[in-house]
Amino acid sequence: VKYFGSLLLEANLFQLRNLPLGVKILYNYYVRLPREGRLERDVCYNDEMRDPRQMLDLYYPPREYDIDSVPVVLFVHGGAWGSGSREIYSLLGKEMADHGMTVLVPTYRIYPFGGVDEQIQDVRNAIIWAVKKYPKQKVAIYAHSAGAHLV
């Protein structure tokens, strides 16, 4: 009991230490970046399905960059095929955009809403959407954990 109590205390302290980071993520995602016109949320990359799990967020660079000539990066999040979401990566999207990139962060149907085959198809559809949307720019793909497996 003492061991599990100390683990619980450590977990609670970890959450408290990271509260400012969580607040920063929420502030950037819901307030600052949309107000600055640098974040477009909930863009559907699959017009056939219109599933909320098949959306992406677009992060734009600051206005001093020429939006038509900056590189485009599509970042596929991880999450062990059953968790994770694009919102969690708002700081990554913002930081990359701050360095002169347009960043796309799609989400996909995670388990149990979709198996690996559906997840691969979702990522494929997001890539196709990005290439069609930005035909004159190179689209780089960057992924983490399960997202890298799906790419």
Side-chain angles (χ1 to χ4, degrees), residues 41-105:
R41 293 191 319 253
D42 303 326
V43 176
C44 183
Y45 62 80
N46 186 355
D47 291 330
E48 295 174 14
M49 304 233 355
R50 303 283 313 163
D51 187 316
R53 293 174 200 90
Q54 294 174 312
M55 302 280 182
L56 58 82
D57 293 334
L58 287 164
Y59 294 84
Y60 298 107
R63 298 198 193 291
E64 66 257 19
Y65 290 94
D66 177 12
I67 193 78
D68 295 323
S69 64
V70 297
V72 176
V73 176
L74 185 132
F75 173 77
V76 183
H77 69 78
W81 305 279
S83 64
S85 69
R86 64 188 189 276
E87 296 89 350
I88 296 170
Y89 292 94
S90 64
L91 287 180
L92 179 131
K94 177 200 170 303
E95 288 300 316
M96 292 177 79
D98 284 349
H99 287 89
M101 298 172 229
T102 297
V103 182
L104 292 69
V105 183

Side-chain angles (χ1 to χ4, degrees), residues 21-35:
L21 178 60
V23 170
K24 188 175 184 180
I25 289 170
L26 291 172
Y27 176 73
N28 278 316
Y29 190 75
Y30 289 104
V31 179
R32 180 178 172 218
L33 293 174
R35 184 175 45 202

Side-chain angles (χ1 to χ4, degrees), residues 58 60 72 102 104 129-137 139:
L58 287 164
Y60 298 107
V72 176
T102 297
L104 292 69
W129 184 93
V131 170
K132 285 181 181 177
K133 175 139 175 89
Y134 299 99
K136 296 180 181 178
Q137 292 155 280
V139 177

